[in-house]
């Protein structure tokens, strides 16, 4: 299996960066993650837009043009002989002389095995818990997941699938997913502010009757349906928030419809 580092393909187990990288020293860097499906990259333009936007905001120049980067991604799939996979592109702060100053970024592209949610999980739905937190620079796909990683123990102890961030009752997102609710009047809403603009969220926002807005913890608890979305999870129904059951405690029709439409869009792109 090959990875890519800056300007060359290397065996995955020989792809390394130096300890002086600002990613190691200060957690400074950005990334993006998307899927290869049947040898194609659905919505690649959206992921590249976000990657270059995050890089620009974090003052990290990308040495490759969009066309060069897309070419390397296709070459990597061919070299690895895999048609379905997860692809991660990381751009680090580089080898900093004083461990603080931004240097020349390292670009690392790696290929990963993908596991999508099981049919059983989608049929049953999941429990989530909540945590008071808001990400700094939420529009940037930063490599810093310190709170999410730290919360894993609490999630396991609570038997929860994920943890929803809120600040003083206004909800934003999960560490790695976006949130949608279906209100009692049937409207479908995702938080407008303080979130990463997920590509799955973007695709769902293009569906009829879906909008952005302010969402509170109370809205979530009173919702008819609640679900989370991401590239690797698509749309997963949530049937319990902390100790509160959502609706009748079973996945509803809207999330199933959204999932079908997402899968169709993925194959059509
Ligand atoms: C903070 C955050 N929100 C939402 C998402 C979901 O985004 P996407 O649909 O592009 O996978 C991610 C993905 O990793 C994320 O890190």
């Amino acid at each position: 299996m090959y990875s890519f580092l800056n300007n060359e393909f290397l065996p995955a187990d020989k792809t390394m960066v130096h300890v002086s990288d600002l990613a190691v020293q200060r957690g400074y860097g950005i990334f993006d993650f998307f899927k290869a499906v049947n040898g194609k990259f659905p919505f690649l333009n959206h992921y590249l837009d976000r990657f270059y936007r995050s890089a620009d905001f974090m003052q990290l120049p990308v040495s490759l043009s969009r066309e060069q980067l897309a070419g390397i991604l296709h070459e990597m799939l061919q070299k690895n002989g895999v048609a379905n996979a997860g692809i991660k592109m990381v751009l680090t702060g580089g080898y900093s002389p004083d461990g603080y100053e931004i240097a020349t970024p390292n670009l690392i592209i790696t290929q990963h095995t993908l596991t999508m949610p099981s049919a059983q999980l989608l049929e049953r739905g999941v429990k989530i818990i909540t945590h008071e937190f808001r990400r700094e620079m939420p529009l940037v796909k930063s490599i810093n997941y310190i709170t999410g990683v730290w919360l894993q123990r609490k999630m396991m102890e609570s038997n929860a699938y994920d943890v929803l961030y809120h600040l003083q009752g206004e909800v934003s997102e999960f560490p790695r997913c976006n949130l949608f609710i279906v209100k009692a009047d049937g409207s479908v809403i995702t938080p407008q502010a303080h979130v990463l603009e997920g590509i799955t969220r973007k695709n769902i926002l293009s569906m009829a009757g879906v909008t952005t807005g302010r969402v509170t913890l109370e809205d979530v608890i009173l919702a008819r349906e609640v679900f989370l979305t991401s590239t690797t999870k698509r749309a997963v129904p949530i049937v319990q928030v902390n100790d509160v059951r959502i609706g009748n405690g079973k996945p509803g029709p809207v999330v199933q419809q959204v999932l079908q439409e997402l899968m169709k869009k993925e194959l059509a792109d």
Side-chain angles (χ1 to χ4, degrees):
M1 196 64 85
Y2 285 93
S3 300
F4 184 84
L5 177 62
N6 293 326
N7 52 11
E8 59 181 339
F9 286 98
L10 293 167
D13 60 349
K14 301 237 164 13
T15 308
M16 293 171 197
V17 291
H18 192 263
V19 291
S20 66
D21 197 300
L22 218 48
V24 178
Q25 296 299 329
R26 306 285 174 182
Y28 199 91
I30 61 115
F31 79 108
D32 222 298
F33 186 92
F34 49 90
K35 287 185 290 197
V37 180
N38 301 332
K40 295 205 272 186
F41 302 109
F43 323 121
L44 181 61
N45 273 333
H46 294 328
Y47 289 102
L48 290 179
D49 283 348
R50 186 171 65 184
F51 182 72
Y52 280 92
R53 216 169 45 229
S54 290
D56 188 45
F57 189 87
M58 298 298 276
Q59 304 158 40
L60 298 172
V62 186
S63 57
L64 301 175
S65 68
R66 283 175 78 104
E67 292 68 31
Q68 286 172 321
L69 197 46
I72 283 157
L73 294 168
H74 283 103
E75 199 179 333
M76 185 147 142
L77 270 198
Q78 292 211 323
K79 261 179 131 43
N80 288 335
V82 178
N84 296 288
I87 307 288
K88 192 170 190 179
M89 302 192 300
V90 181
L91 192 67
T92 70
Y95 302 145
S96 180
D98 62 355
Y100 203 62
E101 194 186 309
I102 298 173
T104 304
N106 281 305
L107 171 67
I108 308 157
I109 310 176
T110 49
Q111 194 170 312
H112 304 265
T113 308
L114 266 186
T115 321
M116 303 301 285
S118 68
Q120 194 190 45
L121 185 123
L122 296 174
E123 255 165 52
R124 281 196 195 158
V126 299
K127 171 191 171 179
I128 61 160
I129 53 173
T130 55
H131 181 76
E132 182 135 23
F133 177 67
R134 184 177 281 173
R135 279 193 319 124
E136 119 182 271
M137 303 182 188
L139 289 173
V140 172
K141 200 158 163 67
S142 155
I143 58 169
N144 178 350
Y145 281 69
I146 178 169
T147 303
V149 171
W150 178 76
L151 281 167
Q152 284 177 108
R153 185 190 291 177
K154 186 176 172 192
M155 269 170 50
M156 264 174 13
E157 285 169 0
S158 314
N159 224 352
Y161 182 76
D162 214 335
V163 49
L164 178 62
Y165 294 151
H166 70 95
L167 192 63
Q168 294 174 345
E170 181 179 351
V171 304
S172 52
E173 60 190 348
F174 298 87
R176 294 179 294 170
C177 298
N178 290 113
L179 171 89
F180 283 80
I181 63 167
V182 184
K183 285 193 151 186
D185 64 5
S187 57
V188 184
I189 301 178
T190 186
Q192 178 175 13
H194 317 297
V195 299
L196 182 83
E197 294 181 340
I199 306 307
T200 319
R201 172 182 180 271
K202 190 183 179 77
N203 281 324
I204 298 171
L205 276 169
S206 72
M207 297 174 193
V210 187
T211 55
T212 62
R214 189 172 182 274
V215 179
T216 65
L217 274 179
E218 201 188 354
D219 293 328
V220 174
I221 280 158
L222 295 175
R224 203 193 274 177
E225 286 183 50
V226 180
F227 54 97
L228 57 78
T229 68
S230 79
T231 300
T232 50
K233 304 216 161 83
R234 292 199 187 102
V236 172
I238 293 162
V239 294
Q240 188 179 336
V241 178
N242 297 322
D243 292 329
V244 182
R245 201 175 70 168
I246 301 300
N248 63 3
K250 296 208 171 80
V254 175
V255 62
Q256 280 171 32
Q257 204 182 318
V258 164
L259 180 57
Q260 295 307 317
E261 283 207 41
L262 278 177
M263 292 201 288
K264 252 195 257 168
K265 269 180 181 284
E266 221 173 85
L267 291 175
D269 196 71

